[in-house]
Amino acid sequence: RNPIVLVPTRKSYMDMILLNYVFFANGLKQPFFELPSQYQEVKLINRVFKNCGSFYVQEDNNKPLYDAILKEYISILISDKQTISVSVEDSREKSGMLGQPNTKVFHSVINSYLNGKANEINIIPVTINYDRILEGETFPYELVGEEKVKESLSRFIATTRYIGTPFGKVCVNFGKQISLKDFVEGMGVPEHSIGTVDEDFKHKVTNQLSKEL
């Protein structure tokens, strides 16, 4: 009945594939996935991800035109009652802890609701934990100051040598659903007044909800 926004942790480039499989295996509508623009530069793999329902976001692009197009794209998905997977983490955190928030896409979701594109949005936090992360062999070097390994086709191909290798288990947990409507009302804005809020309030909702998640 309502659009759904999944908010998964960002641990590996396997995250999207695993969530896609969970929804496919249970006969659910496939989500649209937000991915950082660096994956768009990986030849062939970028097409695979795009065919899996991903869209690429330039998280450091703050130009007004880009922000306006991104907000309109998210609004269309929300109006169509789609399921969207949006990470509020800036990047994968090599230490295993939650990373700093990047709320560009998440703010577009909040903006869609406050602009009346949906009567309700159901937000579901998701944690994905691995016994061993596929690309984790580079993490110790990055933690001690070496430059982050850039995603590339050769790096993806190199991981195929692990096919058949036991990597332990993956645990995917879906958290308690959060009603965006109730959350906004809890901040003192009833449903009939959401169209009157200013941009500062929209950012306040985004920041508080990000911390809650």
Side-chain angles (χ1 to χ4, degrees):
R1 293 175 299 173
N2 302 316
I4 295 173
V5 176
L6 305 172
V7 186
T9 52
R10 184 177 282 182
K11 294 290 182 67
S12 168
Y13 49 69
M14 291 295 293
D15 296 344
M16 184 199 74
I17 298 170
L18 284 167
L19 272 179
N20 225 327
Y21 173 74
V22 168
F23 274 71
F24 172 77
N26 288 279
L28 300 170
K29 185 164 59 175
Q30 293 293 289
F32 288 80
F33 292 90
E34 170 253 336
L35 289 178
S37 58
Q38 65 193 58
Y39 288 104
Q40 193 173 13
E41 301 171 8
V42 183
K43 295 180 179 179
L44 299 180
I45 299 298
N46 56 7
R47 293 186 182 181
V48 174
F49 282 173
K50 191 170 184 179
N51 289 336
C52 286
S54 62
F55 59 95
Y56 301 101
V57 177
Q58 299 173 15
E59 295 171 329
D60 56 350
N61 189 338
N62 295 313
K63 294 180 179 179
L65 178 59
Y66 183 82
D67 284 344
I69 293 172
L70 178 62
K71 286 179 180 178
E72 184 61 27
Y73 178 72
I74 297 298
S75 291
I76 292 171
L77 296 179
I78 293 295
S79 299
D80 202 31
K81 298 182 180 180
Q82 298 292 340
T83 299
I84 312 172
S85 176
V86 174
S87 177
V88 294
E89 290 183 81
D90 190 30
S91 63
R92 286 187 283 111
E93 189 63 44
K94 274 65 70 177
S95 66
M97 304 295 286
L98 288 174
Q100 293 295 315
N102 187 314
T103 56
K104 178 182 284 289
V105 179
F106 197 59
H107 179 67
S108 297
V109 172
I110 306 296
N111 188 74
S112 297
Y113 171 72
L114 294 175
N115 285 345
K117 298 297 183 179
N119 295 323
E120 169 70 291
I121 298 177
N122 297 323
I123 301 173
I124 304 175
V126 184
T127 57
I128 306 175
N129 290 301
Y130 300 79
D131 282 351
R132 180 181 173 190
I133 294 176
L134 190 62
E135 65 271 34
E137 77 281 353
T138 64
F139 290 178
Y141 301 104
E142 294 175 30
L143 284 170
V144 296
E146 289 195 14
E147 187 176 347
K148 182 179 178 180
V149 178
K150 188 177 181 180
E151 307 297 351
S152 63
L153 179 60
S154 60
R155 190 181 185 195
F156 278 90
I157 292 174
T159 61
T160 59
R161 69 180 185 271
Y162 294 123
I163 293 176
T165 303
F167 264 64
K169 296 180 180 179
V170 180
C171 184
V172 182
N173 284 325
F174 292 85
K176 184 178 179 181
Q177 179 175 281
I178 297 174
S179 162
L180 183 55
K181 176 182 175 182
D182 291 347
F183 191 87
V184 172
E185 286 185 353
M187 294 182 66
V189 179
E191 184 179 4
H192 60 80
S193 299
I194 61 172
T196 63
V197 300
D198 57 19
E199 196 65 27
D200 287 340
F201 181 80
K202 293 178 182 179
H203 283 288
K204 185 179 179 181
V205 174
T206 302
N207 292 333
Q208 288 200 21
L209 187 52
S210 297
K211 293 176 183 177
E212 178 78 12
L213 288 163

